[in-house]
Each structure stands twice: as structure tokens, then as C-alpha cells.
């Protein structure tokens, strides 16, 4: 089965957002699809959507999509012990399908984004709500750390792509002249910033030493390679 194009993935994301918004639920994109909307060159493989709900579970939100739009459907996980279903979207007029991950605040350190901080980005004729740039960057950094620590080789093998994505997005964020101590970023949970500071001690040593200056420009206190190795 051929993979969906980036335009088709963005169409799916836009449809899911529209369905949720029709039920009064605000959303924003995260993951590789959000990085793409910020200008990162690597094309996404699926759609990660954060639904800013404190009353619905992930499974309830998946079922809501399936109930309200027949383009979406659920399949059993390949993990026989899993209690969740995997959400997919058909690509109309083709035999292709697109995986859709639904997240809620608190899962994988995803923050509860205040509505006023959701960013509307336009790319490839699509205008979509995305995670604000700094938490998006920090969550991508967290993804690198999680993959690096995974016991699964297929997860660890993703690290080189993670580094490319993180460094590309870091450049985009620096171009926006954003800093972690700016007033507009004070809503970001301190736990996410603290975790990023700890992760950077390793990241700038084993993954991307040259990125240390961009992280410093963002407002992080990052030691040089020698000091980091001693720590």
C-alpha cells in the first residue's frame, strides 16, 4: 500500500480538527506534522493531534471521530495486550490510509495550551492550528530522549531523524527571536523546561554539539562539551 502524501495528511488533520471543533473542542497539531507547518523540510508520516479536553479520554475522542465522520476508522493494535484501538483515516478516492494519533494534555508531557497561544500556520494551501513553537520544540527533544532510552532497536534507530528534526526546528524557533524567559512563554509548565534542561546535557554532547549556541540563544543555560562530559 502506498503512503499518503503530505497534502493528504494535512487534509486528514484539517478534517479531524474541524470535526472536534464542531463539538466545541479546540485542538492543535504536534509532532512531525506541526514541525512541517513551521517550515521543517522532512515530510510527516502521520497526524498527531492534541485535543484540549479535560473531560474526554483518548479512546472517547477516537470513537467520537469515527462516529461523526465515516472517513475515520479504528483497528486493533498489533500488541495483543493493548487495550486501545488505533485510529486511521481513509484517503478518499484511493486505497491509502493515514494514521492519526489523538493526545490530550498530561499524556507524554503534552501541556494544556491556552487557547490564545494556539498558533495558526499556513503551508501548502493548508491553514491549521499548531502547538506553540517552544513547547513543540521541547516535545521533539523529549522524543529524541525517549527513543534513545528505548529497549526497542526500531525506536533507537529513529534517533538520527529526531536530531535532524530537532535541529531544523531549533533554527526556525531562533529565527522567531523567541526565548524561554519571555512573557508569552510563562504558561509553559516548568516541568517541561526542567526536563529539557536535563536532556540538553546529553543532547549537545552525543547528538548535536554545534546546536549549543542556538539553545543558548533560546535562553537555556547549556554547558560546553567538556563540562557536560564531566557532569
Amino acid at each position: 500500500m502506498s503512503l499518503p502524501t503530505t497534502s493528504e495528511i494535512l487534509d486528514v488533520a484539517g478534517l479531524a480538527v474541524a470535526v472536534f471543533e464542531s463539538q466545541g473542542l479546540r485542538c492543535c497539531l504536534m509532532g512531525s506534522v506541526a514541525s512541517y507547518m513551521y517550515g521543517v523540510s522532512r515530510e510527516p508520516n502521520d497526524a498527531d493531534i492534541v485535543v484540549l479536553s479535560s473531560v474526554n479520554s483518548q479512546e472517547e475522542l477516537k470513537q467520537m471521530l469515527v462516529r461523526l465522520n465515516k472517513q475515520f476508522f479504528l483497528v486493533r493494535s498489533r500488541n495483543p495486550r493493548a487495550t486501545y484501538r488505533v485510529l486511521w483515516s481513509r484517503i478518499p478516492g484511493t486505497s491509502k490510509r493515514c494514521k492519526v494519533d489523538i493526545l490530550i494534555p498530561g499524556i507524554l508531557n503534552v501541556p494544556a495550551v491556552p487557547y490564545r497561544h494556539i498558533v495558526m500556520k499556513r503551508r501548502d494551501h493548508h491553514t491549521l492550528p499548531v502547538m506553540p513553537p517552544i513547547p513543540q520544540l521541547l516535545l521533539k527533544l523529549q522524543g529524541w530522549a525517549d527513543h534513545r532510552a528505548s529497549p526497542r532497536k526500531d525506536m533507537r534507530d529513529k534517533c538520527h531523524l529526531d536530531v535532524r528534526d530537532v535541529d531544523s526546528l531549533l533554527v526556525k524557533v531562533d529565527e522567531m527571536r523567541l526565548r524561554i524567559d519571555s512573557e508569552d512563554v510563562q504558561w509553559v509548565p516548568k516541568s517541561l523546561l526542567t526536563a529539557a534542561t536535563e536532556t540538553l546535557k546529553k543532547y549537545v554532547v552525543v547528538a548535536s554539539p554545534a546546536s549549543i549556541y542556538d539553545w543558548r540563544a533560546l535562553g537555556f543555560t547549556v554547558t560546553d562539551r567538556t563540562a557536560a562530559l564531566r557532569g
Side-chain angles (χ1 to χ4, degrees):
M1 181 183 296
S2 58
L3 297 175
T5 65
T6 297
S7 181
E8 289 168 339
I9 292 172
L10 296 179
D11 283 341
V12 168
L15 177 59
V17 168
V19 171
F20 284 129
E21 289 187 345
S22 74
Q23 302 302 301
L25 296 169
R26 296 293 297 273
C27 312
C28 61
L29 307 184
M30 63 169 283
S32 60
V33 68
S35 292
Y36 182 81
M37 295 301 292
Y38 277 116
V40 171
S41 61
R42 188 166 76 88
E43 297 182 340
N45 297 316
D46 54 18
D48 296 329
I49 303 173
V50 179
V51 182
L52 298 169
S53 172
S54 59
V55 297
N56 301 104
S57 70
Q58 289 170 278
E59 295 308 303
E60 289 171 342
L61 291 166
K62 294 176 192 178
Q63 292 164 8
M64 182 186 299
L65 269 185
V66 172
R67 186 177 71 252
L68 294 174
N69 192 290
K70 300 305 181 184
Q71 186 170 314
F72 297 96
F73 63 99
L74 293 167
V75 301
R76 292 184 183 277
S77 170
R78 288 182 291 182
N79 181 350
R81 292 178 294 182
T83 59
Y84 59 85
R85 298 292 183 100
V86 181
L87 179 66
W88 293 83
S89 170
R90 299 176 181 86
I91 305 299
T94 77
S95 61
K96 295 183 284 187
R97 63 183 188 176
C98 173
K99 186 170 179 286
V100 182
D101 287 326
I102 302 297
L103 300 102
I104 55 178
I107 301 294
L108 301 177
N109 278 340
V110 173
V113 183
Y115 295 166
R116 68 182 183 279
H117 289 294
I118 295 174
V119 179
M120 298 300 298
K121 295 294 292 183
R122 180 173 177 82
R123 186 171 182 183
D124 301 341
H125 309 294
H126 294 81
T127 301
L128 294 166
V130 298
M131 177 73 64
I134 286 182
Q136 165 65 13
L137 175 63
L138 302 188
L139 289 169
K140 291 296 288 183
L141 179 67
Q142 174 185 290
W144 168 83
D146 291 345
H147 288 156
R148 183 169 180 262
S150 175
R152 291 172 46 182
K153 183 178 183 300
D154 61 323
M155 292 290 104
R156 297 195 302 274
D157 287 346
K158 294 182 178 183
C159 285
H160 72 285
L161 290 176
D162 292 332
V163 172
R164 189 172 73 181
D165 290 351
V166 169
D167 284 359
S168 296
L169 184 57
L170 175 60
V171 170
K172 300 293 183 183
V173 174
D174 277 346
E175 289 173 351
M176 300 175 200
R177 298 287 189 260
L178 298 176
R179 286 182 56 87
I180 59 173
D181 54 3
S182 65
E183 185 174 344
D184 285 347
V185 186
Q186 295 309 300
W187 66 269
V188 176
K190 299 300 181 185
S191 58
L192 189 58
L193 295 169
T194 300
T197 300
E198 288 300 309
T199 300
L200 284 173
K201 292 178 181 178
K202 293 287 191 299
Y203 186 81
V204 299
V205 174
V206 303
S208 182
S211 69
I212 188 171
Y213 305 105
D214 290 318
W215 289 108
R216 287 173 175 170
L218 198 58
F220 283 97
T221 300
V222 189
T223 55
D224 61 26
R225 179 182 176 87
T226 303
L229 284 171
R230 287 199 302 267

